[in-house]
Amino acid sequence: QVQLVESGGGSVQAGGSLRLSCAASGYSGIYCMGWFRQTPGKEREGVATIDDVGATSYADFVKGRFTISKDNAKNTLHLQMNSLKPEDTAMYYCAYRSGRWCPLTPGYPYWGQGTQVTVSS
């Protein structure tokens, strides 16, 4: 059973940075992992994905500001968020799926509990 636990959220002023982490366990083989976010009343949206060989994809609204990476030795997924904007305020979720198709849509079977990011102006 895949388990995902996010951490690293918090409150920051606009222009600041945060680094989210997702500790993953119970997975193997070919896979995709990703970061998604959701605000109340809105659908969950894809932020960035990475597959087991390190190929990445990003939503247009975070390109150049966010970087997804993974530490294979520690089974941990990261999201480095720089130049944060108030509109980045959301609950951020880590997700996992097997296979190497990594959509930025929330069709992933495994999810963490989320970590809140709040950006003030």
Side-chain angles (χ1 to χ4, degrees):
Q1 180 77 1
V2 175
Q3 292 188 324
L4 306 168
V5 180
E6 302 95 335
S7 62
S11 297
V12 65
Q13 289 192 324
S17 298
L18 282 174
R19 189 190 194 209
L20 305 184
S21 297
C22 173
S25 62
Y27 68 96
S28 64
I30 299 171
Y31 63 85
C32 286
M33 296 185 74
W35 288 98
F36 294 77
R37 69 186 189 185
Q38 189 171 22
T39 55
K42 291 190 175 181
E43 293 186 354
R44 194 167 295 187
E45 62 181 0
V47 175
T49 66
I50 188 168
D51 67 17
D52 59 293
V53 295
T56 59
S57 64
Y58 294 91
D60 287 344
F61 54 79
V62 301
K63 283 181 180 176
R65 300 190 298 125
F66 292 9
T67 302
I68 190 170
S69 63
K70 57 188 179 73
D71 183 335
N72 292 326
K74 295 182 179 180
N75 294 335
T76 303
L77 180 72
H78 297 290
L79 184 69
Q80 178 66 43
M81 305 187 295
N82 299 328
S83 302
L84 283 161
K85 304 175 181 180
E87 51 264 43
D88 294 318
T89 295
M91 184 71 78
Y92 283 72
Y93 297 90
C94 173
Y96 169 94
R97 62 179 291 150
S98 60
R100 206 168 278 159
W101 179 56
C102 304
L104 281 167
T105 51
Y108 288 63
Y110 297 98
W111 294 87
Q113 83 289 350
T115 186
Q116 178 68 38
V117 171
T118 302
V119 185
S120 58
S121 58

